[in-house]
Amino acid sequence: MSRFSSYFLMNTDDVIDYVKEKLTIFREDAELTCKEIGDGNLNYVFRVVDEKHGNSVIIKQAGHTARISDEFKLSTDRIRIESNVLLLQDKLSPGLVPTVLLFDDVMSCCAMEDLSDYTIMRTALLNHETFPAFADHITTFMVNNLLLTSDVVMEHKAKKELVKQYINTELCEITEDLVYTEPFYDNNNRNELTPGNEEWIKSTIYDDEDLKLETAKLKFSFMNNAQALLHGDLHTGSIFIKNDRTKVIDPEFAFYGPMGYDVGNVIANLFFAWANGNANENKNFTEWIEKTIEEVVDQFKEKFSYKWDQEVTELTAKQAGFKEWYLGEVLADTAAVTGLELTRRIIGLAKVKDITSISDPDKRIEAERICLTAAIRFMKQRSQFTEGKDFVAAFKEAEKMVKGLKVM
Ligand code: SR1
Ligand code: MG
């Protein structure tokens, strides 16, 4: 009987045995080595290499708790969601996700293409590298996966079946707590404020009752608007990149939610890269980020509108003016989520290296205040953001406001 017929958390030796038993990609005389390379918050990621012939594979396994903290008890069903979503996204946006080779329901793991000739985009951006094709790739990914899984295009009963298939209770709860709730309230012990920024955050975020009304509305929209099958965690740590190629990974937070959640995550994480470049006074890099943010928003709009005209099946969605209204709502959600993601990564539990690696304390405080000042505007005035340049302008104005003020 196979030792993999009931679940256990594997170590590197187990993973070598596992690939020998379950996969046919390695030769008889392969010399396999294995390393755990995961640096995400939830799962274990193993890279298995045949040192003799050079081929390799990734095995990703889910544990019963999050890697970042045992406080999060999680169903291992997230690996089913991730594997199935990757297979679906590969059909909807070919070439933009890794190939899944195997999904194992018993061991709660999957095998997928090794992308070790790519770099995690957040790491590359921390080195201030630039990627001219990124806006084109990520907007194709988002438009195809979001629009083609929505009621605008899909037969409604088939869409509702997908909604059922991708109910993602526990990971949605993480987002509801970490993104939509905790960063705005001073009464939980998971927020971590940067020393020197506590009072500013209290008066600017925790004490802003109007802001908390808006984030309450946004939370209920996230929980109740089953608009499209989202990636659900589309930050720059979920993207592998090289010069002319982009691959989106890690869709374990996928579920049916508002499209703007994905677009806003991309934009917010580009702004974090901007904040890092700004703190390190790299103007070429910050200008590339500004251009890329504009392109992401404007190419998203353009491709969305074009694809809508090609693919729309729902009679009422063909009504004159409906497409423009719908896209306007998606952009308002995008702005709001840009603000939410900017806020939660600074105040909440799950931080980003773009900010935490700024070693000069005054510069880090300044970077955080720029992000949060822009974030408030993105959340409160979300319907005013209709073009790429609006997003960048809000950030540049926030920078002026913060730099005009003396850092406490
Ligand atoms: C407990 S998980 C914390 C964060 O990591 C994931 O990548 C998601 O962004 C989540 O909010
Ligand atoms: Mg992840």
Side-chain angles (χ1 to χ4, degrees), residues 40-43 60 82 231 233 235 237-238 249-253:
N41 293 327
L42 297 187
N43 303 305
K60 182 167 180 179
E82 171 159 355
H231 175 282
D233 198 24
H235 56 83
S238 297
I249 59 165
D250 269 9
E252 63 208 325
F253 281 79

Side-chain angles (χ1 to χ4, degrees), residues 174-215:
I174 290 180
T175 305
E176 288 152 23
D177 291 344
L178 292 190
V179 179
Y180 286 88
T181 311
E182 294 177 11
F184 304 97
Y185 293 86
D186 197 5
N187 58 359
N188 74 81
N189 59 15
R190 288 202 293 211
N191 288 348
E192 285 172 15
L193 309 189
T194 300
N197 242 353
E198 298 96 333
E199 283 311 309
W200 190 90
I201 286 173
K202 183 179 180 323
S203 61
T204 314
I205 305 283
Y206 292 155
D207 291 349
D208 188 338
E209 300 304 324
D210 295 337
L211 177 64
K212 289 195 277 197
L213 173 59
E214 294 313 308
T215 58

Side-chain angles (χ1 to χ4, degrees), residues 10-12 15 33-40 43-48 59-61 67:
M10 293 188 281
N11 64 28
T12 50
V15 172
T33 58
C34 178
K35 267 193 193 150
E36 208 283 308
I37 57 164
D39 67 350
N43 303 305
Y44 301 90
V45 181
F46 300 90
R47 180 166 185 251
V48 183
I59 303 291
K60 182 167 180 179
Q61 188 180 30
R67 188 181 175 133

Side-chain angles (χ1 to χ4, degrees), residues 17-54:
D17 290 346
Y18 182 84
V19 300
K20 282 183 183 162
E21 182 176 317
K22 301 282 183 183
L23 298 176
T24 53
I25 57 168
F26 293 114
R27 295 199 216 167
E28 277 295 305
D29 61 341
E31 290 168 12
L32 298 182
T33 58
C34 178
K35 267 193 193 150
E36 208 283 308
I37 57 164
D39 67 350
N41 293 327
L42 297 187
N43 303 305
Y44 301 90
V45 181
F46 300 90
R47 180 166 185 251
V48 183
V49 181
D50 175 358
E51 303 290 349
K52 188 163 180 188
H53 304 103

Side-chain angles (χ1 to χ4, degrees), residues 212-394:
K212 289 195 277 197
L213 173 59
E214 294 313 308
T215 58
K217 292 178 196 168
L218 292 164
K219 180 174 176 178
F220 276 74
S221 157
F222 176 81
M223 294 190 292
N224 293 296
N225 182 5
Q227 193 174 33
L229 182 59
L230 308 186
H231 175 282
D233 198 24
L234 195 44
H235 56 83
T236 49
S238 297
I239 298 170
F240 265 116
I241 200 152
K242 61 183 179 182
N243 202 15
D244 55 348
R245 295 274 179 88
T246 305
K247 299 261 189 192
V248 177
I249 59 165
D250 269 9
E252 63 208 325
F253 281 79
F255 83 111
Y256 260 84
M259 296 178 177
Y261 192 76
D262 278 355
V263 193
N265 261 282
V266 171
I267 293 170
N269 282 276
L270 288 170
F271 275 130
F272 285 132
W274 183 96
N276 184 285
N278 189 46
N280 289 290
E281 293 167 21
N282 187 338
K283 204 161 167 37
N284 283 342
F285 180 70
T286 55
E287 282 175 1
W288 176 77
I289 292 280
E290 288 163 22
K291 180 168 155 282
T292 302
I293 289 169
E294 285 195 20
E295 286 172 356
V296 168
V297 175
D298 296 340
Q299 288 183 25
F300 177 82
K301 284 174 65 182
E302 202 183 305
K303 291 180 189 180
F304 191 95
S305 176
Y306 180 78
K307 196 131 204 112
W308 178 296
D309 295 343
Q310 279 188 324
E311 302 281 350
V312 62
T313 60
E314 159 65 39
L315 173 70
T316 62
K318 293 180 186 168
Q319 185 64 34
F322 183 76
K323 175 176 78 175
E324 290 71 18
W325 170 82
Y326 191 104
L327 192 46
E329 296 291 300
V330 172
L331 288 170
D333 283 343
T334 296
V337 173
T338 301
L340 286 156
E341 174 74 0
L342 284 167
T343 307
R344 72 94 164 210
R345 297 283 188 187
I346 287 172
I347 298 179
L349 172 77
K351 310 276 189 220
V352 287
K353 267 202 185 138
D354 317 53
I355 301 297
T356 58
S357 67
I358 301 172
S359 52
D360 177 326
D362 288 342
K363 288 201 165 160
R364 174 158 172 191
I365 286 173
E366 184 179 90
E368 291 190 357
R369 291 183 188 185
I370 294 170
C371 291
L372 291 172
T373 302
I376 294 168
R377 182 136 166 233
F378 287 132
M379 290 181 276
K380 283 186 169 171
Q381 297 171 18
R382 52 193 176 277
S383 54
Q384 293 175 9
F385 293 86
T386 60
E387 291 177 54
K389 66 178 170 44
D390 301 334
F391 284 78
V392 174

